[in-house]
Amino acid sequence: MNSFHRHGDALRCEECPLADLAEIYGTPLYVYSMAALEENFNAYRDAFSPADPLICYSVKSNGNLAVLRAMAGLGAGADIVSGGELFRALTAGIDPGRIVYSGAGKRADELRMALDAGIRMFNVESEPELLLLSRIAASAGKTADISLRINPDIDSGTHRYTATGGKETKFGVPEADAPALYRKAASLPGINPTGIDVHLGSQITDIAPYRLAMERLVALAETLRASGIDCRVLDIGGGAGISYNGEKTVTPADLAGVAIPAAESAGCALVLEPGRSIAGNAGILLTRITHVKRGAGKTFYICDAGMNDLMRPPLYGSYHRIEPVADDGGGAVITADIVGPVCETADFLALGRAIPECREGELLAVMDAGAYGFSMSSNYNARPRAAEVMVSGRKHRFVRSRETYDDLVRNEMIFA
């Protein structure tokens, strides 16, 4: 199913014309499809059904409460990387017993918050974190189930800013150091080593890195078991990419094909942490062209959405398809830079893009922006962040109202 599709010359989300949503809610506007979220989650549930895994949706990809509530309703847990994400997950009704806590820099107050909430597991990323968690858990009379996040030094073939499984990154414990650190964990008060975790990065489009990582984790599980440490959970992380421009990528079925046999071989239950592959193509960013500027042999479509609304193109050089909301397919195609109003040369949505010729006031849809779109947005240039709308069939409503100028200064005070 394609939740974003054309009916005649008009682009729709499910049964709602995007032009109508722009008229009602204004722009810039993030629009999410409930049907797409459900379909993408169910693709994981169906592919992994023989293993009955714990599917922990990655909150950092899109933490809107309506998205999280939808995930909770589908039976998902949550993969979190901060106390704020834990708060969001709990507020949305996600069972704390289905939450895993990743991240390289967990603070003491965040660890206490997660312990008090009774989360399922901590994915510990360093010896200092392990020792801190032990002290906090022991002083509270609690026991924390943990896995160690293994850094297997595997090239995942993704952008260097989104690769997390190489030895040069800040993430995880070097594979060679893991057995000794597991033995130490087993000796510490308040710590129960129960799992093994790996996360190779984001926007991975080849199954080969996963296959290699699974082989390494199975071997580690056998080594640990031989030394008396019986880890029974295999957390394979997330990171499966989506197709932004027609490229082939990793599917849930591909991932299940390597992960389920590995878990069976290791005698482990499975945990997985998908995010982008659930939320990415379930959302678009709707923007209006405010000016068409021509000069020096170049055309600029200057839009009301900028890099503060969608950081991925300037940060990663990422590609997003951009389509006119109204397009009968008969217009001339030109080459244009599609840019925003932010005072930075890096403020662009696309450079040198072939696109139908548009006029001022026309709407553009930036496709596949449901993951790492709003969640990475900011108030740079004192710009209120975009609103968010959820669509289900013919129904639609704000799931985050548009910020106001008062919101920009609400928590500030003048020093006098």
Side-chain angles (χ1 to χ4, degrees):
M1 184 183 78
N2 185 359
S3 294
F4 295 92
H5 59 94
R6 289 199 180 274
H7 184 78
D9 65 354
L11 193 60
R12 295 187 173 204
C13 176
E14 299 189 27
E15 299 180 52
C16 296
L18 290 177
D20 290 355
L21 298 179
E23 186 67 26
I24 295 167
Y25 300 108
T27 57
L29 181 68
Y30 277 98
V31 180
Y32 306 126
S33 163
M34 182 67 76
L37 290 168
E38 293 173 350
E39 182 178 23
N40 292 339
F41 178 84
N42 288 336
Y44 275 98
R45 186 177 60 188
D46 294 345
F48 279 86
S49 60
D52 191 25
L54 173 57
I55 304 174
C56 293
Y57 169 73
S58 179
V59 175
K60 63 180 175 287
S61 64
N62 186 324
N64 183 280
L65 292 181
V67 173
L68 297 181
R69 177 61 64 88
M71 292 296 105
L74 292 167
D79 165 49
I80 62 166
V81 293
S82 71
E85 288 191 352
L86 173 59
F87 179 80
R88 281 189 168 275
L90 295 176
T91 300
I94 292 179
D95 179 354
R98 300 177 70 80
I99 295 176
V100 298
Y101 193 171
S102 306
K106 306 178 188 75
R107 301 192 311 260
D109 62 301
E110 293 175 312
L111 293 173
R112 289 189 190 95
M113 179 182 177
L115 274 170
D116 290 343
I119 70 166
R120 173 65 185 87
M121 188 167 65
F122 293 84
N123 289 335
V124 172
E125 303 216 16
S126 67
E127 183 174 358
E129 180 190 332
L130 177 65
L131 296 175
L132 176 61
L133 180 58
S134 172
R135 290 196 298 271
I136 292 170
S139 66
K142 298 177 183 291
T143 298
D145 285 350
I146 68 112
S147 65
L148 293 184
R149 177 173 175 175
I150 307 304
N151 186 322
D153 193 23
I154 291 174
D155 181 5
S156 58
T158 188
H159 191 285
R160 66 191 184 96
Y161 290 172
T162 59
T164 61
K167 65 182 179 181
E168 74 282 358
T169 73
K170 67 181 179 181
F171 297 101
V173 175
E175 185 179 2
D177 298 343
L181 194 54
Y182 268 105
R183 290 193 294 271
K184 184 163 192 173
S187 72
L188 290 172
I191 298 294
N192 176 32
T194 190
I196 305 172
D197 172 50
V198 71
H199 195 299
L200 300 177
S202 184
Q203 188 51 18
I204 299 171
T205 58
D206 184 357
I207 197 61
Y210 285 109
R211 184 176 291 110
L212 180 56
M214 294 306 101
E215 293 172 359
R216 301 271 190 86
L217 295 194
V218 170
L220 177 58
E222 292 171 351
T223 297
L224 294 176
R225 203 160 288 147
S227 67
I229 300 172
D230 192 15
C231 288
R232 291 291 178 179
V233 176
L234 201 63
D235 185 338
I236 65 171
I242 65 172
S243 179
Y244 287 101
N245 191 28
E247 65 271 33
K248 186 179 183 298
T249 188
V250 174
T251 68
D254 294 333
L255 197 53
V258 299
I260 292 176
E264 290 175 347
S265 176
C268 291
L270 270 174
V271 175
L272 45 148
E273 303 166 2
R276 183 195 309 267
S277 51
I278 290 177
N281 67 10
I284 60 103
L285 174 61
L286 198 56
T287 183
R288 193 177 296 277
I289 299 172
T290 57
H291 306 288
V292 177
K293 180 179 177 181
R294 306 182 197 275
K298 179 172 281 194
T299 297
F300 296 91
Y301 290 162
I302 303 176
C303 302
D304 61 5
M307 65 185 290
N308 73 296
D309 300 298
L310 183 63
M311 188 65 179
R312 296 189 69 254
L315 182 61
Y316 302 126
S318 300
Y319 179 98
H320 288 265
R321 289 181 297 115
I322 300 179
E323 300 184 18
V325 168
D327 180 19
D328 61 8
V333 174
I334 67 167
T335 299
D337 286 1
I338 304 168
V339 301
V342 174
C343 192
E344 293 282 352
T345 304
D347 179 33
F348 63 88
L349 301 173
L351 299 176
R353 183 67 59 85
I355 188 169
E357 191 164 14
C358 296
R359 297 183 299 274
E360 289 183 4
E362 289 193 52
L363 293 166
L364 299 177
V366 184
M367 309 303 291
D368 306 313
Y372 305 103
F374 186 89
S375 67
M376 295 179 71
S377 66
S378 75
N379 292 124
Y380 186 46
N381 279 197
R383 284 169 48 81
R385 287 181 293 177
E388 297 174 282
V389 165
M390 183 70 75
V391 172
S392 180
R394 292 186 175 88
K395 297 178 181 178
H396 51 83
R397 59 164 291 182
F398 268 139
V399 291
R400 190 181 199 278
S401 59
R402 190 173 304 281
E403 288 181 336
T404 67
Y405 291 140
D406 284 340
D407 291 328
L408 296 180
V409 297
R410 190 172 306 283
N411 295 319
E412 298 179 38
M413 55 207 73
I414 294 172
F415 181 78

